[in-house]
Amino acid sequence: NDIWMSSDGDIWVQVVEQTPFDAYSNMAILEWNNKLWLSGGSSSDGLSEEVWSSTDGINWTQETANGGFIARDDHFMYVADDKLYISSGYGFNGLDHYLLDDLWSSNDGINWTQESDAFLALESVGDHTYEYFNDTHWFLGETNYHSVDGINWEMYTPTQSFTGDNFFSLIYENELWLYAYTIDGINGTIRFYRSDDGLDWDAPHGGVLLGNLIPMASQALSHNDRVYFVGGKIGAVTLT
C-alpha cells in the first residue's frame, strides 16, 4: 500500500511507503473538489466500506469508516452534478461474492444517500463501464443505458455495437472513448470507439486491433493531453 507520483508518466517517485489504509485491490479512486478520493476495495481483512480523501496524495483522512453502503470492490465511483456517486461492484456474504446493483450519492464524501437499490438488471448485461459526459450518466458495454439523473435509466442502441469481455472508458479532448477488450487465450485484442454525444460512435482508423499491447483490466486515464494505460493482466500475468 505504497503511493507513487509522476508528472509525465515516465519517471515515478515514491511519496508514501505505508498508507494509513489497508493494502487494497479493486478499490475506486478519483479527483474531486481538489482532493483525491478513495472508496471500497479488497484487502486481507475483507471488503471495505471506507472512504478516504487527500489534498496532496500523501496525507490521507478517513472521511467515514462506514458510508452506509455495502462493503464492496470492483465498483464504480464517479462525479456528476458536483456529487460523488458509488455504484455496483461485488459484495461478499461470507461464502460467495455477489453482484451489487445499488446507487449511492454524496455531497461531501462523508454522508451518503441511497438513490436506488436496483437501478439496472446488471446480472443480464455483463461487464460494463461508467462515465458522466455531456450532463448525462452513461452505462456502456454490450448493453447500454443512459440517464439524466442517475436514477431513471433508459436502454438505448448506439450506432456501433460493442462486444468484449472487459470494457474501460475515459473522456479525452471533449470526446467519450470506449475500449473493448476481448480475451483470446493468453492474448487479447482491443477495439476502440469514440463519440462526441454518447449516441453516435465511430471507430477511428477502423477501430484498430491493438493485439496484446494493452492488457485486460488496465486503468485508463488522460493527463497532459495524452492517454495512459496502467497495469492490467495478460493471461494469468499481472502487470505493474
Side-chain angles (χ1 to χ4, degrees):
N1 50 337
D2 51 356
I3 296 177
W4 294 70
M5 177 184 70
S6 175
S7 61
D8 59 8
D10 184 23
I11 299 173
W12 290 82
V13 177
Q14 186 180 41
V15 294
V16 176
E17 183 176 350
Q18 183 83 19
T19 65
F21 45 81
D22 287 345
Y24 290 127
S25 62
N26 296 326
M27 67 283 196
I29 188 167
L30 53 70
E31 188 275 334
W32 176 59
N33 281 355
N34 298 315
K35 291 183 179 181
L36 286 174
W37 294 83
L38 180 149
S39 68
S42 175
S43 73
S44 58
D45 293 327
L47 299 183
S48 169
E49 62 241 79
E50 297 178 343
V51 178
W52 293 75
S53 75
S54 173
T55 57
D56 57 10
I58 300 173
N59 302 289
W60 291 82
T61 300
Q62 186 185 66
E63 299 292 354
T64 178
N66 184 346
F69 46 81
I70 295 172
R72 67 193 62 207
D73 69 351
D74 203 19
H75 57 292
F76 291 94
M77 181 168 63
Y78 61 96
V79 176
D81 297 324
D82 202 31
K83 290 182 181 180
L84 277 178
Y85 282 83
I86 287 177
S87 66
S88 56
Y90 289 87
F92 185 68
N93 60 15
L95 295 174
D96 301 299
H97 286 88
Y98 62 96
L99 197 60
L100 295 167
D101 194 16
D102 52 354
L103 180 70
W104 295 74
S105 71
S106 175
N107 291 309
D108 57 12
I110 302 171
N111 303 290
W112 291 83
T113 300
Q114 187 173 26
E115 302 286 0
S116 174
D117 62 354
F119 72 107
L120 291 173
L122 293 184
E123 68 276 4
S124 67
V125 301
D127 194 78
H128 57 279
T129 184
Y130 281 95
E131 290 292 346
Y132 185 69
F133 176 69
N134 281 359
D135 299 323
T136 302
H137 303 251
W138 300 92
F139 173 104
L140 302 169
E142 292 190 347
T143 306
N144 298 275
Y145 295 81
H146 58 112
S147 170
V148 295
D149 58 10
I151 301 172
N152 302 292
W153 292 79
E154 178 183 355
M155 184 185 293
Y156 79 102
T157 302
T159 54
Q160 292 277 349
S161 177
F162 311 132
T163 301
D165 300 297
N166 181 231
F167 296 91
F168 41 104
S169 58
L170 55 80
I171 297 170
Y172 175 65
E173 293 187 341
N174 298 316
E175 292 181 317
L176 183 55
W177 288 75
L178 176 69
Y179 297 82
Y181 188 100
T182 302
I183 300 172
D184 180 17
I186 63 171
N187 297 315
T189 55
I190 286 186
R191 295 175 174 83
F192 57 102
Y193 311 88
R194 67 180 176 189
S195 173
D196 60 9
D197 62 5
L199 300 173
D200 296 316
W201 293 78
D202 71 333
H205 308 293
V208 176
L209 305 184
L210 299 178
N212 62 0
L213 295 179
I214 299 175
M216 180 179 178
S218 294
Q219 294 295 313
L221 57 91
S222 60
H223 174 66
N224 284 351
D225 299 322
R226 299 184 70 182
V227 173
Y228 292 85
F229 295 92
V230 183
K233 293 182 178 181
I234 296 177
V237 178
T238 299
L239 305 180
T240 58

